[in-house]
Amino acid sequence: MEQKTELQKQDIKRFSNEETNRITKECIQSALIVLMGEKPYDKISITEIVKRSGVSRTAFYRNFSSKEDVLAELSASILGAINQMVLSAIQDADPHRLYCRIFQLIQDDRKDFDVMLKSGLYRSGYLDIDTYVKNRYPHLDSIARYAIIGWWGALQDIIKNWYLSGMKEEIRDMADLCCQLFKSMTEIQACKGERI
């Protein structure tokens, strides 16, 4: 029995152009995720993505210029959600709940997170925290900025290593750990008389 393409799984009837484009993109992204489960990213061709997705090559290039663009867009949703939660945690007096949500998101979206790790997008796809802090908080001095950047890097490494080790630790315990890290950062800010 022939395997269904990602487009065939959508059971498309009649949609608007906008809806059709969204579905086409999702099919291409899903195809890439499936293929990455079968072989290394650098061994996947656009021809394979197109075939697995069930869309035409023209449709692929109407939506993406390369397979790297597919990955970048694919990672944007989960990274965007994590970024918003982390940036909220920077400003929250009690960030435990937000850290729990971050780790829960990683656990729930492990397939997408795995794609980002395998493709190398995990680090490169993240928000440029230095630029964000400079623009959002121009009053901060360089020491406070370094504290935030260090915290951000540590959080990324904690998330990555927790994921790679099989997410064995409880989400609550990981949130407790991150709260301790956050506490250190706020102490640095307090010494400088800064409030983010």
Side-chain angles (χ1 to χ4, degrees):
M1 185 167 148
E2 190 173 321
Q3 185 177 20
K4 281 188 172 183
T5 66
E6 297 303 313
L7 189 61
Q8 290 168 330
K9 291 176 188 176
Q10 293 288 333
D11 190 28
I12 296 177
K13 305 290 183 220
R14 289 183 177 233
F15 293 112
S16 67
N17 283 344
E18 184 178 306
E19 185 70 9
T20 301
N21 285 341
R22 183 190 62 76
I23 291 170
T24 299
K25 283 184 171 189
E26 287 176 3
C27 289
I28 292 168
Q29 292 167 345
S30 295
L32 183 56
I33 290 171
V34 170
L35 288 166
M36 285 183 71
E38 297 172 359
K39 60 183 4 181
Y41 171 75
D42 62 345
K43 302 291 186 202
I44 299 170
S45 69
I46 290 176
T47 300
E48 290 172 298
I49 296 170
V50 167
K51 183 177 178 184
R52 182 63 61 98
S53 67
V55 305
S56 69
R57 198 171 193 79
T58 303
F60 178 92
Y61 284 110
R62 188 173 36 245
N63 290 283
F64 301 102
S65 62
S66 65
K67 67 180 183 179
E68 288 75 20
D69 284 352
V70 178
L71 271 178
E73 191 168 307
L74 180 63
S75 67
S77 61
I78 189 170
L79 291 175
I82 292 169
N83 285 335
Q84 288 309 308
M85 284 188 259
V86 169
L87 293 172
S88 295
I90 289 173
Q91 300 175 46
D92 197 317
D94 183 19
H96 192 272
R97 179 183 57 85
L98 290 167
Y99 287 122
C100 285
R101 287 177 51 207
I102 290 167
F103 285 97
Q104 189 66 56
L105 178 68
I106 297 302
Q107 196 172 62
D108 292 347
D109 292 336
R110 67 185 76 189
K111 193 173 186 179
D112 291 343
F113 194 74
D114 196 50
V115 167
M116 288 186 294
L117 285 176
K118 287 179 181 178
S119 66
L121 283 175
Y122 178 66
R123 279 273 190 198
S124 64
Y126 265 114
L127 176 68
D128 178 357
I129 195 68
D130 188 42
T131 302
Y132 174 84
V133 171
K134 284 179 186 174
N135 292 336
R136 172 91 168 150
Y137 307 106
H139 66 281
L140 292 180
D141 69 10
S142 61
I143 297 299
R145 272 200 331 271
Y146 288 136
I148 295 169
I149 293 165
W151 169 78
W152 183 250
L155 182 59
Q156 288 183 71
D157 287 340
I158 289 168
I159 290 169
K160 178 181 175 184
N161 285 292
W162 176 72
Y163 177 81
L164 291 174
S165 68
M167 300 177 284
K168 296 173 193 152
E169 295 79 12
E170 295 292 323
I171 288 173
R172 189 162 200 65
D173 294 335
M174 297 307 295
D176 289 343
L177 172 67
C178 290
C179 283
Q180 288 301 313
L181 184 59
F182 181 81
K183 182 179 175 187
S184 299
M185 188 180 73
T186 54
E187 288 170 357
I188 290 169
Q189 294 164 9
C191 289
K192 301 295 292 176
E194 305 277 356
R195 175 70 183 144
I196 293 183

